[in-house]
Amino acid sequence: MSYSRYVTVRQHAQNQKVRFFESSRGARIAQIPLEAFPDFWVYAYLVFVDEWRVLIDSGSGFGKNNQNLEDGLAAAAEAWQRPLSFDSLTHILITHGHIDHFGGLGFVREKSAAPIGIHELDQHNLTHTEERLAEVARRMACFLADAGVPEDEAGQLVEIYKLTKLDYQPGRVDFTYEAAGMKLGPFEMLHVPGHSAGHVVIRLDDVLFCGDHVLSEISPHQAPEGLTLNTGLSHYLQSLQSLLGWATNIRLTLGGHNEPIHDLAGRIVEIQQIHQNRLNEILALLDEPHTIAEISHQLFGEVHGYNVLLALEEAGAHVEYLHQRGLLRIANLNEFTNGGGHTPIRYQTLLD
Ligand SMILES: [Zn+2]
Ligand SMILES: [Zn+2]
């Protein structure tokens, strides 16, 4: 199996129809596939339980996304034989502040006055998007220089990073989860920082909406905490562990991408193993000094476009994790100290 499989976040396009699920207490759930970007799919969920009509995530807001969302609502209305529109939503819950999950809010806000919720630590992504982009872009330029990416290529990567987020119109968020006691009626949230700073999973009866925290076919993308506080592999692995303890009696896990998960604990263990293997592989590679760009290439091979950035971030998150724990040293410390900001860092495994 190629490693690039873990980097790419493309969704298989075979399931482009709305699918329906039910919780143990009879909550009705519609899984709505949205083409967030060309050939890149994400799911929003519509939940109908008691007096609640809740939309979980909204897709990207690009291209066919909003039409897919509208069609999904219509398909659910027909299946459930109820009038259902954006008007009748009672709440909108966002699992995490990534554009493929919240970008559709620009469209949804125009059609619905339903209160929008997100965790405190991702709130800024939705309300002060430009500021977040500027901050991350600055840190990313530094990360890419340290990683050994040539300056012109690094500039292009930062532009690609910003490009997909620029169309989003920042707007209101009405409540945050910690302030709401990590609860909304029958919905309970658990904060699982890592893939994003304010990522939450949402439990309803025996169903878990897990955003991108646990996915069935890929290990969710990791970036270094150096880019955004409260992300990074340390937080992510801790969050996987806390989810194991919290999400007992979950029968069905519905993610933001990929197929539903029927054995959550088993899948969590697999993802933990993927990261452990990758950490071990990096320790072996760093027998000789290498930059993060070189490690990324060794792990993921030749990748293109946005995947170049994803691969570098993934490699960077693992190197950061090992370095934080004192398992790596900077092999070119003299050059690094005297060479200014543009000297790539060469890491090497510390022998004990
Ligand atoms: Zn995400
Ligand atoms: Zn996603």
Side-chain angles (χ1 to χ4, degrees), residues 39-74:
D39 213 18
F40 178 93
W41 291 76
V42 64
Y43 292 120
Y45 294 92
L46 184 66
V47 184
F48 189 98
V49 54
D50 305 329
E51 72 275 25
W52 307 82
R53 315 269 180 281
V54 175
L55 178 69
I56 298 179
D57 286 345
S58 65
S60 68
F62 287 84
K64 297 183 192 145
N65 185 94
N66 299 339
Q67 188 59 51
N68 293 157
L69 193 54
E70 206 148 27
D71 294 346
L73 249 65

Side-chain angles (χ1 to χ4, degrees), residues 37 40 73 177-179 182 221 248 250-251 260 317-318:
F37 298 107
F40 178 93
L73 249 65
Y177 298 146
E178 280 187 15
M182 301 302 277
H221 176 60
T248 49
I250 290 296
R251 174 184 50 91
H318 287 77

Side-chain angles (χ1 to χ4, degrees), residues 40 42 96 98 100-101 195 212 256-257:
F40 178 93
V42 64
H96 67 295
H98 284 170
D100 54 324
H101 297 259
H195 174 76
D212 287 356
H257 312 271

